[in-house]
Amino acid sequence: MKTRDLFKFKPSRELAAVLLHYLLITAVFYVSFQVVTVQRVAAQFLTFGVLGVMALGILAPAAYSTLALKRPMSAIGITKDRLLLSIGLGAAFAVAQYFMTLNKLALPGFRALFPLALMAVSVGFFENVFFRGFAQTRLEESFGIVPGIVLSALLYCFYHVGYGMAGAEYLTLFVVGLVYSAVFRLTGSIFILFPLLTPMGAMYTNIREGLALPFEAGYGFALVIAFSVIGLVVIRRIRMKQTAGTARPAKVRVAGA
């Protein structure tokens, strides 16, 4: 690995898009949790799950990267490259994390665990697509691997202001962000972190803090996950049609025809 890959300074215009997406997501989460609050279940789910997680966190960066910038899905960490390695490493890390975290808790029953698990998966999906696949890769392209990992961890840390996190928690979140960003760097695939490692970390935090959700909320988060996947498939197919259209050779007009 060359030194210039570790550190460099070539800021790109894409950083403005990363920052804009980041500010919008943080603002929406703040409104959802601090203004709407969990007392208004439907409005809170729409702002948090639909607008924040699915629309701004997953589909908007995917559409921007794939359709506007004409990059492949692998540019946001959704790739088949080293898939088995990513899944294998992810499973190994998840087992280690389980024994360090969830194994030490008394897990709630199925009706309480179901919505927490679906929420953790949907949020984990968003965090890995946005913070690792979208933000971290752009930061590494502009500033190098080491600053990219640190800066993406900082973005991950401070977006939690939307959840209403307090002072000392940000240091923990920064360290967690560093670990996740470094793990992502091993293969460049979100599947080293998702759907096991990061959702398990979120579940541990939520269960430890006593978060409770209505059972029906699980169905809502399942829909968020399903429509996010469908949206990504649609974006990919649109990109494939665009690529096929540009690759099709132009017809040659014969004189006198």
Side-chain angles (χ1 to χ4, degrees):
M1 184 179 293
K2 299 178 181 179
T3 304
R4 65 173 178 267
D5 293 328
L6 298 177
F7 299 93
K8 59 184 175 181
F9 189 79
K10 293 182 179 179
S12 69
R13 289 181 294 179
E14 293 181 38
L15 292 180
V18 170
L19 182 59
L20 177 61
H21 277 88
Y22 178 76
L23 292 175
L24 286 173
I25 289 169
T26 305
V28 167
F29 277 36
Y30 184 87
V31 169
S32 181
F33 284 92
Q34 309 305 318
V35 179
V36 176
T37 76
V38 295
Q39 304 304 318
R40 301 179 179 90
V41 177
Q44 207 267 338
F45 174 75
L46 289 174
T47 51
F48 169 58
V50 178
L51 180 57
V53 170
M54 183 178 72
L56 292 175
I58 298 174
L59 299 183
Y64 174 75
S65 177
T66 306
L67 302 181
L69 300 181
K70 304 189 184 306
R71 290 181 173 225
M73 277 288 181
S74 59
I76 56 170
I78 301 176
T79 175
K80 294 179 181 178
D81 294 342
R82 293 181 283 187
L83 181 60
L84 291 179
L85 176 61
S86 296
I87 293 174
L89 287 174
F93 289 138
V95 169
Q97 180 172 253
Y98 171 78
F99 284 104
M100 291 188 294
T101 56
L102 287 172
N103 187 51
K104 299 178 180 180
L105 296 178
L107 298 182
F110 174 76
R111 290 191 65 83
L113 192 62
F114 174 73
L116 292 177
L118 269 294
M119 183 180 75
V121 172
S122 62
V123 173
F125 196 1
F126 137 67
E127 288 183 345
N128 286 301
V129 168
F130 182 81
F131 289 103
R132 263 63 73 173
F134 184 57
Q136 182 176 338
T137 53
R138 273 62 180 176
L139 290 166
E140 288 184 5
E141 289 171 359
S142 295
F143 305 116
I145 294 171
V146 174
I149 289 174
V150 173
L151 290 172
S152 65
L154 283 172
L155 291 179
Y156 170 78
C157 165
F158 287 110
Y159 109 92
H160 285 80
V161 69
Y163 293 108
M165 295 292 186
E169 294 176 295
Y170 288 106
L171 178 59
T172 301
L173 288 168
F174 176 63
V175 173
V176 170
L178 282 177
V179 171
Y180 287 158
S181 293
V183 169
F184 171 75
R185 192 63 184 73
L186 294 176
T187 64
S189 168
I190 68 167
F191 300 113
I192 196 172
L193 293 163
F194 178 83
L196 293 176
L197 191 60
T198 51
M200 284 178 60
M203 282 186 62
Y204 169 72
T205 300
N206 292 335
I207 294 172
R208 185 188 61 185
E209 294 180 355
L211 178 65
L213 295 173
F215 181 79
E216 293 74 16
Y219 298 131
F221 286 113
L223 289 174
V224 167
I225 297 167
F227 282 114
S228 295
V229 171
I230 292 170
L232 290 174
V233 170
V234 170
I235 290 170
R236 181 175 179 273
R237 288 185 176 179
I238 292 173
R239 177 59 188 146
M240 290 175 65
K241 289 181 179 180
Q242 290 176 342
T243 304
T246 56
R248 188 180 297 117
K251 293 182 179 179
V252 178
R253 184 179 180 84
V254 179

